[in-house]
Amino acid sequence: MSNSYVLVINSGSSSLKFAIIDSVSGDAIVSGLGECFGLPEATISWKFNGEKTQEAIEAQGNHHQHAIKRLVTLIESLGFTNDIVAVGHRVVHGGEKFTSTVKIDNQVLTEIERLSDLAPLHNPAGAKGIEAAIEAFPNLPQFAVFDTAFHQTMPTKAFTAGIDKDLYTEYGIRRYGFHGTSHFYVSRQAAKILDIPVEKSGFITVHLGNGASVCAVQNGKSKDTSMGFTPLAGLMMGTRSGDIDPGILEFLMKKGWSQDQVFDMLNKKSGFLGVSHITSDARGILEAMEQGHEDAKLAFEVFTYRVAKYIASYLIPLTSLDAIVFTGGIGENSNIIREEILNNLSLLGFVVDSEGNDKARFGNEGIIARSELLGAVAMVVPTNEELVIARECVERL
Ligand code: AMP
């Protein structure tokens, strides 16, 4: 019997991540990355059987297409051609149109392109990857899995912005939320680990990576989330500001900043990088803090304080709480950041279990704190967005 492998593709504007996932075991058989697209030094690299290979990509033309063509020959040379049953694409924005995974046809592709209006940095790249993959794998069904879809269950009061309602009807301005695949996965895993039915569970899922967001998940459904109309909203992140007073934008523009300068600052020069002036990387912040760097310490404090404030406010959409669930590169690995966040939540009764917190790192799940007051725990669940994408595809074959 052949295997049930899914080729998972995540196309960015200058990169393309890919993985061949065994949808049964969840193992990544091959994982790789095409990067520096649009530049002469564009490369593609992959890991198979623990061995890493890197190659240059043809300098001219469409790099998404070149990378995906190389994937076809790679898959052939590894002997997996007959094992791959579908291609799953991560697509950032599904607007209000896509509330779950869909099989891609011309109409779906046109709609994803149309939604570029809402996600100009992401959806055009997603569409490029899909077009190239359809050309390269014409006989395989292809599916789009949207980052926004899981949050389409948010009630109107949670997604409505406190501005002129015509801006919603005219332009679709509202909270959409992102990281949906991750919040979906860790809420299901947390219910499994705690041995409670997901349809009777309450979680605050906290995805802390380069991008970061919090989600209130009641009975398996997203009720509110901290990213908004764009992924810029909510928590402070690696280079993104998260929420700021919109009055700051007007102030800076009146000082002569252009629109591009303001948004470049908010998206690429803020967060850990902006506050510390050293790095956008949490590990770098922790190292600098250990060496006594004052602004690294400030970045750590602003970040952890903000996350804790969000967690506390995400009790509001819930009717019960079983666990606060940490995930993402920072959430899965940094016992120090998690401890500081939980210390900020001591009024909610959370007491950190130091041993549990130290153990739940580098891919290990586990309980890291308990609150007698709320009858809830804090835990770590490593996320696996590729596996969700693979399973979503296989379920729809
Ligand atoms: P992600 O975007 O989910 O890949 O997460 C990337 C973030 O996770 C970066 O800020 C990394 O510095 C952070 N990270 C990864 N490993 C660790 C670690 N051991 N301790 C602290 N932060 C980490």
Side-chain angles (χ1 to χ4, degrees):
M1 203 182 89
S2 62
N3 292 303
S4 232
Y5 292 171
V6 175
L7 173 62
V8 175
I9 293 179
N10 182 355
S11 305
S13 53
S14 61
S15 67
L16 186 144
K17 264 197 220 160
F18 60 91
I20 298 173
I21 304 291
D22 180 334
S23 64
V24 178
S25 70
D27 293 340
I29 311 297
V30 180
S31 59
L33 175 69
E35 54 191 333
C36 299
F37 289 2
L39 299 172
E41 60 266 33
T43 55
I44 184 165
S45 59
W46 62 86
K47 228 163 105 182
F48 175 60
N49 270 346
E51 207 173 294
K52 201 170 169 185
T53 311
Q54 186 169 28
E55 272 178 17
I57 294 182
E58 195 183 316
Q60 304 298 320
N62 179 336
H63 283 159
H64 287 82
Q65 210 173 31
H66 294 332
I68 288 183
K69 273 195 185 147
R70 184 63 187 93
L71 268 179
V72 177
T73 52
L74 174 66
I75 289 167
E76 276 168 11
S77 67
L78 297 176
F80 292 142
T81 308
N82 295 326
D83 296 317
I84 296 189
V85 295
V87 183
H89 297 267
R90 175 184 178 225
V91 179
V92 168
H93 218 307
E96 288 183 329
K97 169 95 185 166
F98 298 111
T99 56
S100 59
T101 298
V102 286
K103 191 166 176 188
I104 299 172
D105 56 20
N106 282 339
Q107 219 178 339
V108 169
L109 182 57
T110 307
E111 193 62 28
I112 289 170
E113 279 164 346
R114 200 186 62 76
L115 286 163
S116 295
D117 187 34
L118 296 177
L121 296 178
H122 298 106
N123 273 36
K128 246 189 191 174
I130 292 171
E131 278 168 354
I134 291 175
E135 201 186 313
F137 303 97
N139 299 322
L140 285 180
Q142 314 233 355
F143 297 87
V145 182
F146 299 92
D147 247 20
T148 49
F150 180 57
H151 301 302
Q152 280 296 307
T153 49
M154 275 189 287
T156 312
K157 67 181 175 190
F159 73 67
T160 302
I163 54 174
D164 184 344
K165 188 144 180 266
D166 289 348
L167 297 172
Y168 169 56
T169 29
E170 204 168 319
Y171 300 122
I173 295 178
R174 50 159 282 178
R175 179 182 303 281
Y176 289 98
F178 300 88
H179 286 152
T181 313
S182 178
H183 291 297
F184 168 86
Y185 178 75
V186 300
S187 55
R188 266 68 191 164
Q189 281 298 105
K192 246 190 225 167
I193 295 165
L194 298 177
D195 199 19
I196 49 177
V198 73
E199 49 299 336
K200 284 192 187 145
S201 64
F203 296 113
I204 297 174
T205 49
V206 187
H207 181 113
L208 305 178
N210 272 325
S213 67
V214 175
C215 183
V217 188
Q218 187 69 59
N219 306 337
K221 296 202 165 119
S222 170
K223 293 290 172 186
D224 203 348
T225 190
S226 61
M227 282 180 169
F229 179 62
T230 71
L232 188 52
L235 303 176
M236 179 180 116
M237 311 181 205
T239 63
R240 294 185 209 136
S241 62
D243 289 350
I244 60 157
D245 177 351
I248 295 170
L249 313 190
E250 185 196 22
F251 179 86
L252 288 175
M253 285 180 175
K254 280 191 175 155
K255 291 277 179 202
W257 286 50
S258 70
Q259 178 188 313
D260 284 350
Q261 280 174 319
V262 171
F263 285 92
D264 190 57
M265 181 271 288
L266 294 176
N267 277 299
K268 298 188 184 147
K269 296 178 185 152
S270 296
F272 278 139
L273 179 63
V275 177
S276 73
H277 281 179
I278 320 176
T279 175
S280 61
D281 190 277
R283 261 172 305 196
I285 294 289
L286 293 167
E287 278 162 25
M289 199 167 78
E290 244 174 53
Q291 290 156 14
H293 194 294
E294 281 300 316
D295 286 336
K297 182 153 187 276
L298 180 62
F300 167 83
E301 284 175 353
V302 175
F303 179 81
T304 49
Y305 173 73
R306 179 90 66 101
V307 175
K309 229 165 61 160
Y310 262 88
I311 292 174
S313 70
Y314 274 63
L315 286 170
I316 306 297
L318 296 178
T319 52
S320 66
L321 180 74
D322 296 297
I324 296 170
V325 186
F326 289 95
T327 195
I330 300 171
E332 290 169 27
N333 296 304
S334 180
N335 48 345
I336 299 169
I337 291 180
R338 294 187 308 233
E339 183 171 7
E340 182 67 10
I341 293 168
L342 290 162
N343 285 343
N344 275 306
L345 290 168
S346 58
L347 196 60
L348 296 180
F350 281 98
V351 179
V352 176
D353 164 2
S354 297
E355 204 181 314
N357 190 30
D358 289 350
K359 272 194 201 151
R361 301 179 72 196
F362 314 128
N364 296 317
E365 61 193 30
I367 308 273
I368 60 169
R370 288 175 198 278
S371 164
E372 297 245 333
L373 183 69
L374 299 179
V377 297
M379 62 198 290
V380 173
V381 176
T383 196
N384 194 340
E385 291 164 275
E386 283 88 5
L387 177 58
V388 176
I389 295 174
R391 291 202 170 143
E392 289 274 303
C393 295
V394 170
E395 271 171 27
R396 286 166 177 78
L397 283 177

